[in-house]
Amino acid sequence: MSTLRKALPGFPLSGFDYRALVLPVFFVAFWALAHGVGWVDTRLIPSPLGVVKTAWGSIFAEDFLPGLWGSLYRDVSGFVIGGLFGVATGVALGLSRWLDAAFNPALNALKQISLFAWLPLITSWFGYDDGAKILFIAASTFYPVAVNTFEGVRGVTRQHLEVARVFRFSRTQLIFRLLLPAAAPRILTGLQMGLVFAWLATIGSEFLLANWGNGLGNIIIHGREALDVGLVIWGLIIVGIVGSLLNRLARRAESRLLGWRGTA
Amino acid sequence: MAQAGTLEIQHLRKNYAVNGATLNVLENINLSIRPGEFITIVGASGCGKSTLLRLIIGLDTQYDGDIFLDGRRIRDTGLDRGIVFQEHRLFPWLTVRKNIETGLLNNTRFSEAEKEASVRAHIELVGLQGFESAYPHQLSGGMSQRVAIARALVNRPEVLLLDEPFGALDAFTRHFLQDELLRISSEEGITMVLVTHDIEEAIYLADRVVVMQPRPGRIRRVVDIDLPRPRPRNSEAFARYKDDLLKDFSVGEHPEEILAGNIEQPA
Ligand SMILES: Nc1ncnc2c1ncn2[C@@H]1O[C@H](COP(=O)(O)OP(=O)(O)OP(=O)(O)O)[C@@H](O)[C@H]1O
Ligand SMILES: [Mg+2]
């Protein structure tokens, strides 16, 4: 592969490790073989080519792009809202012994409730439209972000806090110039987890509320109802691709933000 | 140029509450430090040297007696005092320049231009030109400690406190930084108080060496170092001071401390 990379210096995916393709290629080959030889029920499992055809067709179907867009929009909105509240809550609890004592036990208890168990409550209060889904996604993002931010702020050393006191940091300076940057590695870990949770919540809420709104989850459920297995598989592939693209983006943002840690 | 501060410590006593019991860490400390004077403090581990610096810098305000800086009682931290700890305590997410600028965040005395000039002057003072945009993890221990010194000096404080600042460094770097400190002290004319475990360092730097003893922490004696600078470490006069001061740490005088591992064996 390295020779290929040298031969194609300006190749758009330079930096991409082609070994990552081994498993998918092998899998698709096996799938095509299984389908061609007739090991599987071809009504339940379409050929790879069939899925590609479905995919090609679906891109021009009227609900696909709006669905993809809708899912992304809700995912990002919920993630941003939940992330901001998560960081704010984590900092507040980490900063104030009083707030910590008052709220942490309750938050820990709430954590025991599976996120999807909240969905009925949220829908009965807020209905079935985008707002309710975004709230659900925000709540899913909130937990890992808040918990990790809290731990990160707690991990700020006494030594650094004393430096802040010697230089007479105000509360705002303390938060923005010491606590947040010192906690940044943990916060970014929390945000990465939050991103995964948000995408799960995005698709999950569309599965559970399949008859309301439009999103990738709705498309997959509708594909199943129409016995269009090709569409279901294509939907899953898109969900996976979008999810891992979001994570790649997050990873890249992280290494940029944490450059000060060096290569360690 | 900074105005050098006068430190007046009177009847200072500090207790810590440890498991319900009272631990008398400092007892009846009296010390007048003249503006621009270089004071070094030596003494067995646990005799309250760091505690004394923490009281002067204002990180701990629970004490009896008085500490005056230029006649004002110290009640809190302040930009008129700078401190260098044993560890550099730089912010790892900031470059050298940004770390030094952190010291100026709440400085209202300087104009923007003066701040900028002070940062540049202190980067130069500690010889870190060219490393302004390096991160702490890219620096050696000695370089990091020099950044910490620049950060402590950037406000042009009246007093600079140093708590075993070179303890973790090799002998070569230590000697080099000691000379830099003397140069800074004469160039900036700041009052300096440096805690060290190294008797030779104490003599090399000080106008006066304060010898402390533990339980409770108090001043055993104050030794004037009457040597012209630069001071050759191998001169006879230097050796006499060393012998004299080492007597305070002589083995056999406090056997219980040696058993407890609390005394510094002279190197
Ligand atoms: N926050 C604290 N609470 C209780 N006791 C303390 C506290 N800080 C220091 N002490 C005690 O006060 C005494 C003096 O401590 P200090 O750190 O000032 O000594 P030191 O002279 O700097 O010692 P070393 O040379 O080892 O640095 C020690 O017995 C220590 O255990
Ligand atoms: Mg100490």
Side-chain angles (χ1 to χ4, degrees):
Chain A
M1 274 306 161
S2 60
T3 46
L4 176 65
R5 211 171 287 167
K6 267 178 218 141
L8 300 168
F11 201 61
L13 279 178
S14 59
F16 180 79
D17 190 340
Y18 292 88
R19 284 172 297 190
L21 291 177
V22 169
L23 198 61
V25 166
F26 186 77
F27 175 75
V28 169
F30 180 74
W31 174 12
L33 179 73
H35 194 271
V37 178
W39 288 338
V40 293
D41 184 340
T42 50
R43 281 165 307 172
L44 290 182
I45 301 184
S47 69
L49 202 61
V51 172
V52 170
K53 273 186 194 139
T54 310
W56 186 248
S58 81
I59 289 173
F60 302 104
E62 62 177 318
D63 62 345
F64 179 79
L65 283 178
L68 173 62
W69 173 243
S71 290
L72 269 175
Y73 160 74
R74 284 186 295 274
D75 177 59
V76 172
S77 311
F79 172 74
V80 168
I81 295 169
L84 284 175
F85 271 94
V87 170
T89 306
V91 169
L93 297 192
L95 198 58
S96 155
R97 193 183 294 268
W98 191 90
L99 287 177
D100 181 22
F103 290 104
N104 228 346
L107 285 174
N108 272 318
L110 286 176
K111 199 167 54 183
Q112 304 307 318
I113 304 171
S114 160
L115 269 168
F116 284 94
W118 289 104
L119 209 47
L121 198 62
I122 289 177
T123 50
S124 51
W125 285 346
F126 298 97
Y128 298 90
D129 56 9
D130 271 8
K133 285 180 186 163
I134 288 173
L135 182 67
F136 174 65
I137 297 161
S140 310
T141 310
F142 174 83
Y143 266 110
V145 177
V147 168
N148 279 283
T149 303
F150 174 75
E151 297 292 339
V153 169
R154 273 319 186 71
V156 175
T157 62
R158 182 193 182 83
Q159 279 84 342
H160 277 158
L161 290 171
E162 286 180 355
V163 170
R165 253 191 84 194
V166 165
F167 291 125
R168 308 202 53 78
F169 277 23
S170 65
R171 180 159 288 245
T172 317
Q173 286 170 339
L174 181 69
I175 292 173
F176 287 98
R177 296 188 178 264
L178 176 53
L179 301 186
L180 286 177
R186 284 302 296 266
I187 295 176
L188 288 171
T189 302
L191 286 172
Q192 271 183 15
M193 288 168 69
L195 199 58
V196 173
F197 281 33
W199 190 234
L200 285 175
T202 302
I203 303 303
S205 65
E206 289 162 0
F207 279 174
L208 293 175
L209 309 176
N211 293 328
W212 290 273
N214 186 18
L216 288 176
N218 307 73
I219 292 171
I220 292 172
I221 294 293
H222 292 147
R224 195 199 61 174
E225 280 162 2
L227 293 178
D228 187 347
V229 181
L231 186 58
V232 172
I233 293 175
W234 168 233
L236 289 177
I237 290 171
I238 281 288
V239 167
I241 288 176
V242 171
S244 52
L245 280 180
L246 287 172
N247 279 324
R248 260 185 107 81
L249 222 65
R251 197 93 25 101
R252 197 159 291 185
E254 180 187 23
S255 62
R256 179 165 281 221
L257 281 168
L258 297 184
W260 52 266
R261 289 202 296 191
T263 46
Chain B
M1 172 149 305
Q3 169 211 357
T6 311
L7 266 175
E8 192 76 41
I9 302 170
Q10 292 170 354
H11 310 297
L12 179 67
R13 171 199 281 148
K14 168 71 187 173
N15 294 327
Y16 278 120
V18 180
N19 305 328
T22 313
L23 179 66
N24 186 201
V25 177
L26 292 173
E27 179 63 36
N28 196 27
I29 305 284
N30 293 286
L31 190 63
S32 292
I33 303 176
R34 295 184 295 272
E37 199 175 9
F38 204 131
I39 294 283
T40 58
I41 303 178
V42 294
S45 187
C47 68
K49 305 180 296 290
S50 297
T51 305
L52 181 59
L53 290 199
R54 291 175 64 82
L55 297 181
I56 298 173
I57 195 72
L59 280 171
D60 190 339
T61 49
Q62 306 289 308
Y63 59 87
D64 299 318
D66 292 301
I67 307 173
F68 295 106
L69 174 60
D70 302 328
R72 292 177 315 259
R73 196 167 190 277
I74 287 171
R75 296 176 196 288
D76 201 353
T77 54
L79 300 183
D80 48 7
R81 283 150 288 150
I83 189 164
V84 178
F85 298 96
Q86 179 161 10
E87 337 80 58
H88 56 74
R89 301 198 185 184
L90 300 178
F91 291 168
W93 53 89
L94 296 180
T95 61
V96 165
R97 169 181 289 279
K98 295 267 179 206
N99 262 293
I100 296 172
E101 284 172 353
T102 299
L104 288 169
L105 278 178
N106 295 308
N107 183 315
T108 49
R109 280 188 303 140
F110 293 2
S111 68
E112 285 308 310
E114 283 172 323
K115 287 185 181 182
E116 185 139 7
S118 180
V119 169
R120 199 167 338 106
H122 285 97
I123 287 174
E124 223 163 275
L125 192 72
V126 297
L128 281 171
Q129 307 96 304
F131 290 93
E132 289 90 342
S133 35
Y135 284 94
H137 79 266
Q138 298 168 315
L139 305 178
S140 68
M143 289 162 88
S144 303
Q145 205 55 304
R146 281 190 271 162
V147 181
I149 292 171
R151 183 179 67 175
L153 286 172
V154 74
N155 283 301
R156 301 193 184 275
E158 299 176 22
V159 179
L160 180 64
L161 309 171
L162 305 107
D163 193 353
E164 298 182 40
F166 311 139
L169 305 177
D170 63 274
F172 182 80
T173 314
R174 205 160 57 223
H175 287 181
F176 177 72
L177 289 180
Q178 285 166 0
D179 284 329
E180 292 212 14
L181 213 53
L182 284 177
R183 190 171 53 81
I184 289 167
S185 138
S186 71
E187 271 178 35
E188 305 246 319
I190 299 178
T191 306
M192 300 260 192
V193 182
L194 178 139
V195 167
T196 179
H197 272 139
D198 179 350
I199 303 251
E200 194 184 287
E201 176 171 278
I203 300 167
Y204 188 73
L205 294 174
D207 296 316
R208 286 191 291 160
V209 177
V210 175
V211 183
M212 291 183 64
Q213 65 184 114
R215 254 163 283 170
R218 65 218 120 114
I219 295 179
R220 185 187 182 101
R221 60 178 175 137
V222 179
V223 180
D224 278 282
I225 306 295
D226 221 348
L227 292 174
R229 293 193 177 95
R231 298 169 173 170
R233 293 168 208 263
N234 51 6
S235 76
E236 225 170 277
F238 199 103
R240 268 199 300 278
Y241 278 112
K242 211 165 151 183
D243 289 344
D244 179 26
L245 281 164
L246 281 172
K247 266 195 249 120
D248 287 327
F249 296 86
S250 63
V251 178
E253 213 175 331
H254 310 287
E256 75 282 15
E257 281 165 2
I258 293 160
L259 287 177
N262 276 345
I263 204 161
E264 294 304 307
Q265 295 291 331

